[in-house]
Amino acid sequence: MSNPQTGSFPVKRGLAEMLSGGVIMDVVTPEQAKIAEDAGACAVMALERVPADIRRDGGIARMSDPDMIEGIKATVTIPVMAKARIGHFVEAQIIQSLGVDFIDESEVLTPADEAHHIDKYKFDVPFVCGATNLGEALRRISEGAAMIRSKGEAGTGNIVEAVRHLRSILGDIRRIGQADSAELFDWAKQLQAPLPLVQELAETGRLPVPLFCAGGIATPADAAFAMQLGAEAVFVGSGIFKSDEPERRARAIVEATTHFQDADVLAKVSRGLGAPMTGIGMDEINQRYAERGW
Amino acid sequence: MNIGILALQGAFAAHQRVLTDLGTSVTLVRGVEDLVGLDGIVLPGGESTTMSMLLDSSGIHGHLRELLGKGFPVFGTCAGLILLAEQIVDGRADQQQLGGLSINARRNGYGRQIDSFEASINICDAEHACSMNGVFIRAPRIEKVTGDVHVLGTVNGDIVLVRQGNVLGATFHPELGNDRRVHEMFLKIVSRHNDDLEQVQEVRS
């Protein structure tokens, strides 16, 4: 090993660990990035349109303009993330060259490859990927993802899908903890996931990388709900800057994520936040982003 | 022995796993009431700006400052070290320091995540002359130490592990590897401090 060595897996997973217990906020301008940092965000996701607007506008959603990403990078001192399309390793190369701290290979953007995700081991910058179930999470980890998040259903302000994904992932982890060694072969087959990762999971009782919640968080109660279910941190996309009072809501969600087990604090920070984003029911949407990715 | 881990934001769960492995009882600290009955506290890595804000809103900041003044054992890693540094460079203007370490630390002193690294650290403690692997994540850089700060570890000439009285500070993340020696170093500080307190009590009675 050279001394020092950059881009190793422990270095990538390390940043994911540092973001635990925090709130990562979607921002589309440097001004919003500043508001997020002032409110206590542990990182920001720089993108051109929040998922609610991508959903409204339709069309192809791609990587953001490098100028826009750099404007946000120059404004804040906390880590900056950016999204690449599923499988689009050239967008990821560009984002890495901008010095962004984390890449989200995201189903919110239009997938660029219908069979392959990015080989994330080829990059020095860490990746986060979405998952709806444990098999998907383990496949992304086997490709080099340093963080897993629920996909939820981005841009809906509706937590129900993220809850489904978290319960599915964490429920299966608990079930695998009860399995005997012979059953682990079958689990690997059912999950379509590498056996060594399933065996490791059985031994440690947790994913080898942090598990965060994303998709549909709109209130402090939603954030605390995700944390009590077992998420280690939360992403808030459209929920903050599509609400009436982004500053106060952002701050309240940060407090709720830290004090997620304290209902008195949750009651206090949930007061007087103005209207949350309106949100959409699952039967009202025509495109489920969570179905993107394989 | 009961060790608190500040659990406002950051890698508190990783510290919890290490300390539990070492057989220590652990309390996650999110409010002032959690500080009662602790023998020492760990300030984990994370985002120092976020932690600083939450230290303030939870009221922990003032209590922790007071404890530090009384020689309470504290171990800060990465962002935790930034909170303890008397002076920080490139921090936010409203970031409030706990103090405890007479050092100047530059936030993200080695650059962004793309510059984060693993390196072999030379440990130059009297009891452990050795090397160990360290993971540095958007790490602070110690630019100056003053007073009675002891340098315990270096990488290529850079100071990465320091001790001043009962305060231990690392710019890297001993909680992320399998090497428990830095945590053991801190537990030794805590147990010596407990022994000293007992002696003082005996003398008084």
Side-chain angles (χ1 to χ4, degrees), chain A residues 61-63 83-92 103-120 127-131 136 140 143 149 151 289-294:
Chain A
R62 311 179 179 86
M63 172 189 84
K83 290 184 195 288
R85 281 181 268 179
I86 289 175
H88 204 317
F89 50 81
V90 175
E91 283 189 351
I103 298 178
D104 184 4
E105 186 182 16
S106 178
E107 70 284 358
V108 170
L109 305 185
T110 312
D113 188 320
E114 289 185 328
H116 309 92
H117 282 252
I118 296 171
D119 175 359
K120 292 163 272 285
F127 278 74
V128 50
C129 290
E136 212 177 348
R140 297 297 84 79
E143 296 156 1
R149 55 170 175 77
K151 285 183 175 170
Y289 294 155
E291 288 167 0
R292 296 166 163 178
W294 8 95

Side-chain angles (χ1 to χ4, degrees), chain B residues 68 83-86 98-102 149 164-165 167:
Chain B
L68 270 160
L83 296 172
L84 294 166
E86 253 160 37
L98 288 167
L101 287 174
S102 307
V149 174
Q164 184 172 21
V167 181

